Amino acid sequence: MLGTNFRKDITGLRAVAVIAVVLYHSEYLNISSGFLGVDVFFVISGYLITDKIISEINAGTFRFSVFYIKRARRILPALYLGLIFSTLVLIIFYFPEDVEDFKSSMFYTLIFSSNVYFWNNINYFSPQIETRLLAHTWSLGIEEQFYFLLPLGLVIVYKVFKKDKHIEFLIFSAIILSFLITISDIFFIPVTKFYLLPTRLWEFLLGSLCSLVLTKNAYKKNKNVSDISFLLLILSFFIFNKYDIHPGYITLLPTFATLVMIIFNERGSIANRILENKTVQTVGLASYSIYILHYPIFSIDSYWLLANFFGTFQWLIDFIFIICSVCIGILAWKFVETPSRDETKFNNPKLVVSLIITSILILFVSTSSILNNFIE
């Protein structure tokens, strides 16, 4: 269900981000830095979540229990569907020697720590990552860790400092500190910077700072600024590659382009007309489910090299899998995500019981030998 503060342009940006990621994983159209779409998601997440928390804190209605149950509604049903779907892909297409790694990654995904698991096991830009069915869930681990810390941090600083300008200064300082750690070689090696929250925190907090600033200030929208920032965002998906240091200086382009779009986007701009297109809106609304489900689909091709297997063109396999990813993601959004977020159809007790039962089943599969025995 859409709130009163729903912004179509932000939904459109989500569509752009997820399509960039999908095209990158498919290697279709040579989107060499489509992985930066994840960074767009981080900025948007920081903005939306901070906006919601602050409005509730100011109204005196914020409750941790309500916040986390809404996060569960938003995140878990589609995630659990993704885990079940990935398990089916494993059973049908993978060999027994791949089961243990999958089970471990599924367990860490369940406890929102898959970024830590993959950090300890594999570089995201290595060829071997392409057959890991849940490798893309590293970003969910970081997001959920941020969602856990942000409300607690905001409640504390609001109680201590009271004034928004002090909070803005603290967030700005945290952005600078996190970015300095990111570009420094003193604290972390590149693979650590990629996977862990401290070097990703500044991206979320850019969105948080944007929310705080827009709460008190009304900036004049500008068509030219909208179009230029949108163009720079699209260019950022083409002009870098996986060999560039990321996160780092290259991450500034997509994150700041997103930030500028959120602040200055003008409804009459070319960019806004693209973002508010009906098809783009549908993809944006389904972006989370598309993201969750696309990676296991492309992992099948990475595992079997289907173009060679069937003696056909790689671009044809990529095109088919892109269409499959988007269509399956939209179906998941319509029939899993949307109903589970509707409290009138799926109340809190029913939701909690369903999620607990599903969590226990996934935990059992990820820690027992039943999957090994079944595939054997």
Side-chain angles (χ1 to χ4, degrees), residues 281-334:
Q281 286 293 296
T282 300
V283 173
L285 290 169
S287 58
Y288 175 57
S289 287
I290 293 172
Y291 182 83
I292 290 294
L293 294 168
H294 86 282
Y295 201 87
I297 293 174
F298 284 105
S299 295
I300 299 170
D301 180 42
S302 299
Y303 197 84
W304 284 98
L305 301 177
L306 294 177
N308 295 333
F309 189 84
F310 290 110
T312 187
F313 299 105
Q314 183 61 47
W315 67 262
L316 180 60
I317 299 293
D318 288 339
F319 180 76
I320 292 171
F321 278 23
I322 290 167
I323 299 301
C324 288
S325 297
V326 173
C327 290
I328 292 173
I330 290 174
L331 289 173
W333 161 68
K334 185 174 182 179

Coordinates of all heavy atoms in Angstrom, one line a residue, residues 281-334:
Q281 N 7.4 2.5 -13.5 CA 6.8 2.5 -12.2 C 6.6 1.0 -11.7 O 6.8 0.7 -10.6 CB 5.5 3.3 -12.2 CG 5.7 4.8 -12.2 CD 6.3 5.3 -10.9 OE1 5.8 5.2 -9.8 NE2 7.5 5.9 -11.1
T282 N 6.1 0.2 -12.6 CA 5.8 -1.2 -12.2 C 7.1 -1.9 -11.9 O 7.2 -2.6 -10.9 CB 5.1 -1.9 -13.4 OG1 3.9 -1.3 -13.7 CG2 4.9 -3.4 -13.1
V283 N 8.1 -1.7 -12.7 CA 9.4 -2.3 -12.4 C 10.0 -1.8 -11.0 O 10.5 -2.5 -10.2 CB 10.4 -2.0 -13.5 CG1 11.8 -2.5 -13.1 CG2 10.0 -2.7 -14.8
G284 N 9.8 -0.5 -10.8 CA 10.3 0.1 -9.6 C 9.6 -0.4 -8.3 O 10.2 -0.7 -7.3
L285 N 8.3 -0.6 -8.4 CA 7.5 -1.2 -7.3 C 7.9 -2.6 -7.1 O 7.9 -3.1 -5.9 CB 6.0 -1.1 -7.6 CG 5.4 0.3 -7.6 CD1 4.0 0.3 -8.2 CD2 5.3 0.9 -6.2
A286 N 8.3 -3.3 -8.1 CA 8.7 -4.7 -8.0 C 10.2 -4.9 -7.9 O 10.7 -6.0 -7.9 CB 8.2 -5.5 -9.2
S287 N 10.9 -3.8 -7.7 CA 12.4 -3.9 -7.8 C 13.0 -4.8 -6.7 O 14.0 -5.5 -7.0 CB 13.0 -2.5 -7.6 OG 12.5 -1.8 -6.4
Y288 N 12.4 -4.8 -5.5 CA 13.0 -5.6 -4.5 C 12.8 -7.1 -4.8 O 13.8 -7.9 -4.8 CB 12.3 -5.4 -3.1 CG 12.7 -6.3 -2.0 CD1 14.0 -6.4 -1.6 CD2 11.8 -7.0 -1.3 CE1 14.4 -7.2 -0.6 CE2 12.1 -7.9 -0.3 CZ 13.5 -8.0 0.1 OH 13.9 -8.8 1.1
S289 N 11.6 -7.5 -5.3 CA 11.4 -8.9 -5.7 C 12.3 -9.3 -6.9 O 12.8 -10.4 -7.0 CB 10.0 -9.2 -6.0 OG 9.2 -9.2 -4.8
I290 N 12.4 -8.4 -7.8 CA 13.2 -8.6 -9.0 C 14.7 -8.8 -8.6 O 15.4 -9.8 -9.0 CB 13.2 -7.4 -10.0 CG1 11.8 -7.4 -10.6 CG2 14.2 -7.6 -11.1 CD1 11.5 -6.1 -11.5
Y291 N 15.2 -8.0 -7.7 CA 16.5 -8.1 -7.2 C 16.7 -9.5 -6.5 O 17.7 -10.2 -6.7 CB 16.8 -7.0 -6.2 CG 18.3 -7.0 -5.7 CD1 19.3 -6.5 -6.4 CD2 18.6 -7.6 -4.5 CE1 20.6 -6.5 -6.0 CE2 19.9 -7.7 -4.0 CZ 20.9 -7.1 -4.8 OH 22.2 -7.2 -4.3
I292 N 15.8 -9.9 -5.6 CA 15.9 -11.1 -4.9 C 16.0 -12.3 -5.8 O 16.7 -13.3 -5.6 CB 14.8 -11.2 -3.9 CG1 14.9 -10.2 -2.7 CG2 14.7 -12.7 -3.3 CD1 16.1 -10.5 -1.8
L293 N 15.2 -12.3 -6.9 CA 15.0 -13.5 -7.7 C 15.9 -13.6 -8.9 O 16.0 -14.7 -9.5 CB 13.5 -13.6 -8.1 CG 12.5 -13.8 -6.9 CD1 11.1 -13.6 -7.4 CD2 12.7 -15.2 -6.4
H294 N 16.4 -12.4 -9.3 CA 17.2 -12.5 -10.6 C 18.5 -13.3 -10.5 O 18.9 -13.9 -11.5 CB 17.4 -11.1 -11.1 CG 18.7 -10.4 -10.5 ND1 18.8 -9.9 -9.3 CD2 19.9 -10.3 -11.1 CE1 20.0 -9.5 -9.1 NE2 20.7 -9.7 -10.1
Y295 N 19.2 -13.2 -9.4 CA 20.5 -13.7 -9.3 C 20.5 -15.3 -9.4 O 21.3 -15.8 -10.1 CB 21.2 -13.3 -8.0 CG 22.7 -13.4 -8.1 CD1 23.4 -12.3 -8.6 CD2 23.4 -14.5 -7.6 CE1 24.8 -12.4 -8.6 CE2 24.7 -14.6 -7.7 CZ 25.5 -13.5 -8.2 OH 26.8 -13.6 -8.3
P296 N 19.6 -16.0 -8.7 CA 19.6 -17.4 -8.9 C 19.3 -17.8 -10.3 O 19.8 -18.9 -10.8 CB 18.5 -17.9 -7.9 CG 18.1 -16.8 -7.2 CD 18.7 -15.5 -7.6
I297 N 18.5 -17.0 -11.0 CA 18.2 -17.3 -12.4 C 19.5 -17.2 -13.3 O 19.8 -18.2 -14.1 CB 17.1 -16.4 -13.0 CG1 15.8 -16.6 -12.3 CG2 17.0 -16.5 -14.5 CD1 14.7 -15.6 -12.6
F298 N 20.2 -16.2 -13.1 CA 21.5 -16.0 -13.9 C 22.6 -17.0 -13.4 O 23.5 -17.3 -14.2 CB 22.0 -14.6 -13.8 CG 21.2 -13.6 -14.7 CD1 20.3 -12.8 -14.1 CD2 21.3 -13.7 -16.1 CE1 19.5 -11.9 -14.9 CE2 20.6 -12.8 -16.9 CZ 19.7 -11.9 -16.3
S299 N 22.5 -17.4 -12.2 CA 23.4 -18.4 -11.7 C 23.4 -19.7 -12.5 O 24.4 -20.4 -12.6 CB 23.2 -18.7 -10.2 OG 23.5 -17.5 -9.5
I300 N 22.2 -20.1 -13.0 CA 22.0 -21.3 -13.8 C 22.9 -21.2 -15.0 O 23.6 -22.2 -15.4 CB 20.5 -21.5 -14.2 CG1 19.6 -21.6 -12.9 CG2 20.4 -22.7 -15.1 CD1 18.1 -21.6 -13.2
D301 N 22.8 -20.0 -15.7 CA 23.6 -19.9 -16.9 C 25.1 -19.9 -16.5 O 25.9 -20.5 -17.3 CB 23.3 -18.5 -17.6 CG 24.1 -18.3 -18.8 OD1 24.3 -19.3 -19.6 OD2 24.6 -17.2 -19.0
S302 N 25.5 -19.3 -15.4 CA 26.9 -19.2 -15.0 C 27.4 -20.7 -14.7 O 28.6 -21.0 -15.0 CB 27.1 -18.3 -13.8 OG 26.7 -17.0 -14.1
Y303 N 26.5 -21.5 -14.2 CA 26.9 -22.8 -13.8 C 27.0 -23.8 -15.0 O 27.9 -24.6 -15.0 CB 25.8 -23.4 -12.8 CG 26.2 -24.5 -12.0 CD1 26.9 -24.4 -10.8 CD2 25.9 -25.8 -12.4 CE1 27.3 -25.5 -10.0 CE2 26.3 -26.9 -11.6 CZ 27.0 -26.8 -10.5 OH 27.3 -27.9 -9.7
W304 N 26.1 -23.6 -15.9 CA 26.1 -24.6 -17.0 C 26.6 -24.0 -18.4 O 26.7 -24.7 -19.3 CB 24.6 -25.0 -17.2 CG 24.2 -26.0 -16.2 CD1 23.5 -25.8 -15.1 CD2 24.5 -27.4 -16.2 NE1 23.3 -27.0 -14.4 CE2 23.9 -28.0 -15.0 CE3 25.2 -28.3 -17.1 CZ2 24.0 -29.3 -14.7 CZ3 25.2 -29.6 -16.8 CH2 24.7 -30.1 -15.6
L305 N 26.8 -22.7 -18.4 CA 27.2 -22.0 -19.7 C 26.3 -22.4 -20.8 O 26.6 -23.1 -21.8 CB 28.7 -22.4 -20.0 CG 29.7 -22.0 -19.0 CD1 31.1 -22.5 -19.4 CD2 29.8 -20.5 -18.8
L306 N 25.1 -22.0 -20.7 CA 24.0 -22.5 -21.5 C 24.1 -22.2 -23.0 O 23.7 -23.0 -23.8 CB 22.6 -21.9 -21.0 CG 22.2 -22.4 -19.6 CD1 20.9 -21.7 -19.2 CD2 22.0 -23.9 -19.6
A307 N 24.8 -21.1 -23.3 CA 25.0 -20.8 -24.8 C 25.8 -21.9 -25.4 O 25.5 -22.3 -26.5 CB 25.7 -19.4 -24.9
N308 N 26.8 -22.4 -24.7 CA 27.6 -23.5 -25.3 C 26.8 -24.8 -25.2 O 26.9 -25.6 -26.1 CB 28.9 -23.7 -24.5 CG 29.8 -22.5 -24.7 OD1 29.8 -21.8 -25.7 ND2 30.7 -22.2 -23.7
F309 N 26.1 -25.0 -24.1 CA 25.3 -26.2 -23.9 C 24.3 -26.4 -25.0 O 24.1 -27.5 -25.5 CB 24.6 -26.1 -22.5 CG 24.0 -27.4 -22.1 CD1 24.8 -28.4 -21.5 CD2 22.7 -27.7 -22.3 CE1 24.2 -29.6 -21.1 CE2 22.1 -28.9 -21.9 CZ 22.9 -29.8 -21.3
F310 N 23.6 -25.3 -25.4 CA 22.6 -25.4 -26.4 C 23.1 -25.0 -27.8 O 22.3 -25.1 -28.8 CB 21.4 -24.6 -26.0 CG 20.6 -25.1 -24.9 CD1 20.6 -24.4 -23.6 CD2 19.9 -26.3 -25.0 CE1 19.9 -24.9 -22.6 CE2 19.1 -26.7 -23.9 CZ 19.1 -26.1 -22.7
G311 N 24.3 -24.6 -27.9 CA 24.8 -24.1 -29.2 C 24.1 -22.9 -29.7 O 23.8 -22.9 -30.9
T312 N 23.9 -21.9 -28.9 CA 23.2 -20.7 -29.3 C 24.0 -19.5 -28.9 O 25.1 -19.6 -28.4 CB 21.8 -20.7 -28.7 OG1 21.1 -19.6 -29.3 CG2 21.8 -20.5 -27.2
F313 N 23.4 -18.3 -29.1 CA 24.1 -17.0 -28.8 C 23.9 -16.7 -27.3 O 22.8 -16.8 -26.8 CB 23.5 -15.9 -29.7 CG 23.6 -16.1 -31.2 CD1 22.6 -16.5 -31.9 CD2 24.9 -16.0 -31.8 CE1 22.7 -16.7 -33.3 CE2 25.0 -16.2 -33.1 CZ 23.9 -16.6 -33.9
Q314 N 25.0 -16.1 -26.7 CA 24.9 -15.7 -25.4 C 23.9 -14.6 -25.2 O 23.2 -14.5 -24.2 CB 26.3 -15.3 -24.9 CG 26.4 -14.9 -23.4 CD 26.0 -16.1 -22.5 OE1 26.5 -17.2 -22.6 NE2 25.1 -15.8 -21.5
W315 N 23.9 -13.7 -26.1 CA 22.9 -12.5 -26.0 C 21.5 -13.0 -25.9 O 20.6 -12.4 -25.2 CB 23.1 -11.5 -27.1 CG 22.7 -12.0 -28.5 CD1 23.5 -12.5 -29.5 CD2 21.4 -12.1 -29.0 NE1 22.8 -12.9 -30.6 CE2 21.5 -12.6 -30.4 CE3 20.1 -11.7 -28.6 CZ2 20.4 -12.8 -31.2 CZ3 19.0 -11.9 -29.4 CH2 19.2 -12.4 -30.7
L316 N 21.2 -14.1 -26.6 CA 19.8 -14.7 -26.6 C 19.5 -15.2 -25.2 O 18.4 -15.0 -24.6 CB 19.7 -15.7 -27.6 CG 18.3 -16.4 -27.7 CD1 17.2 -15.4 -28.0 CD2 18.3 -17.5 -28.8
I317 N 20.5 -16.0 -24.6 CA 20.3 -16.5 -23.2 C 20.1 -15.4 -22.3 O 19.2 -15.4 -21.4 CB 21.5 -17.4 -22.8 CG1 21.6 -18.6 -23.8 CG2 21.3 -17.8 -21.4 CD1 20.5 -19.6 -23.7
D318 N 20.9 -14.3 -22.4 CA 20.8 -13.2 -21.5 C 19.5 -12.5 -21.6 O 18.9 -12.2 -20.6 CB 22.0 -12.2 -21.8 CG 23.3 -12.7 -21.4 OD1 23.4 -13.6 -20.5 OD2 24.3 -12.2 -21.9
F319 N 19.0 -12.3 -22.8 CA 17.8 -11.6 -23.1 C 16.6 -12.4 -22.4 O 15.7 -11.8 -21.8 CB 17.5 -11.4 -24.6 CG 16.3 -10.7 -24.9 CD1 16.1 -9.4 -24.7 CD2 15.2 -11.4 -25.4 CE1 14.9 -8.7 -25.0 CE2 14.0 -10.8 -25.7 CZ 13.9 -9.4 -25.5
I320 N 16.6 -13.7 -22.7 CA 15.5 -14.5 -22.1 C 15.5 -14.5 -20.6 O 14.5 -14.4 -19.9 CB 15.7 -16.0 -22.6 CG1 15.4 -16.1 -24.1 CG2 14.8 -16.9 -21.8 CD1 15.8 -17.4 -24.7
F321 N 16.7 -14.5 -20.0 CA 16.8 -14.5 -18.5 C 16.5 -13.2 -17.9 O 15.9 -13.1 -16.8 CB 18.2 -15.0 -18.1 CG 18.4 -16.4 -18.1 CD1 17.6 -17.3 -18.8 CD2 19.4 -17.0 -17.3 CE1 17.8 -18.7 -18.8 CE2 19.6 -18.4 -17.2 CZ 18.8 -19.2 -18.0
I322 N 16.8 -12.1 -18.7 CA 16.4 -10.8 -18.2 C 14.8 -10.7 -18.1 O 14.3 -10.2 -17.1 CB 16.9 -9.7 -19.1 CG1 18.4 -9.5 -19.0 CG2 16.2 -8.3 -18.8 CD1 19.1 -8.7 -20.1
I323 N 14.2 -11.1 -19.2 CA 12.7 -11.1 -19.3 C 12.1 -12.0 -18.1 O 11.2 -11.6 -17.4 CB 12.2 -11.6 -20.6 CG1 12.7 -10.6 -21.7 CG2 10.7 -11.7 -20.6 CD1 12.3 -9.2 -21.6
C324 N 12.7 -13.2 -18.0 CA 12.2 -14.1 -16.9 C 12.4 -13.4 -15.5 O 11.5 -13.5 -14.7 CB 13.0 -15.4 -16.9 SG 12.6 -16.4 -18.3
S325 N 13.5 -12.8 -15.3 CA 13.8 -12.2 -14.0 C 12.8 -11.1 -13.7 O 12.2 -11.0 -12.6 CB 15.2 -11.6 -14.0 OG 16.2 -12.5 -14.1
V326 N 12.5 -10.2 -14.7 CA 11.6 -9.1 -14.5 C 10.2 -9.6 -14.3 O 9.4 -9.2 -13.4 CB 11.6 -8.1 -15.6 CG1 10.5 -7.1 -15.5 CG2 13.0 -7.5 -15.7
C327 N 9.8 -10.6 -15.1 CA 8.4 -11.1 -15.0 C 8.1 -11.9 -13.7 O 7.1 -11.7 -13.1 CB 8.1 -12.0 -16.2 SG 8.0 -11.1 -17.8
I328 N 9.1 -12.7 -13.3 CA 8.9 -13.5 -12.1 C 9.0 -12.5 -10.9 O 8.2 -12.7 -9.9 CB 10.0 -14.5 -12.0 CG1 9.8 -15.6 -13.0 CG2 10.1 -15.2 -10.6 CD1 11.0 -16.6 -13.1
G329 N 9.8 -11.5 -11.0 CA 9.9 -10.5 -9.9 C 8.6 -9.7 -9.8 O 8.1 -9.5 -8.6
I330 N 8.0 -9.4 -10.9 CA 6.7 -8.7 -10.8 C 5.6 -9.5 -10.3 O 4.7 -9.1 -9.5 CB 6.3 -8.1 -12.3 CG1 7.3 -7.0 -12.7 CG2 4.9 -7.7 -12.3 CD1 7.1 -6.5 -14.1
L331 N 5.6 -10.8 -10.7 CA 4.6 -11.7 -10.1 C 4.8 -11.9 -8.6 O 3.8 -11.9 -7.8 CB 4.7 -13.1 -10.8 CG 4.2 -13.2 -12.2 CD1 4.6 -14.5 -12.9 CD2 2.7 -12.9 -12.3
A332 N 6.0 -12.0 -8.1 CA 6.3 -12.1 -6.7 C 5.9 -10.9 -6.0 O 5.3 -10.9 -4.9 CB 7.8 -12.4 -6.5
W333 N 6.1 -9.7 -6.6 CA 5.6 -8.4 -6.0 C 4.1 -8.4 -5.8 O 3.6 -8.0 -4.8 CB 6.1 -7.3 -6.8 CG 5.4 -6.0 -6.6 CD1 5.4 -5.2 -5.4 CD2 4.5 -5.3 -7.4 NE1 4.6 -4.1 -5.5 CE2 4.0 -4.2 -6.8 CE3 4.0 -5.6 -8.7 CZ2 3.1 -3.3 -7.4 CZ3 3.1 -4.7 -9.3 CH2 2.7 -3.6 -8.6
K334 N 3.4 -8.8 -6.9 CA 2.0 -8.8 -6.9 C 1.3 -9.8 -5.9 O 0.4 -9.5 -5.2 CB 1.5 -9.0 -8.3 CG 0.0 -8.8 -8.5 CD -0.5 -8.9 -9.9 CE -2.0 -8.7 -10.1 NZ -2.4 -8.7 -11.5

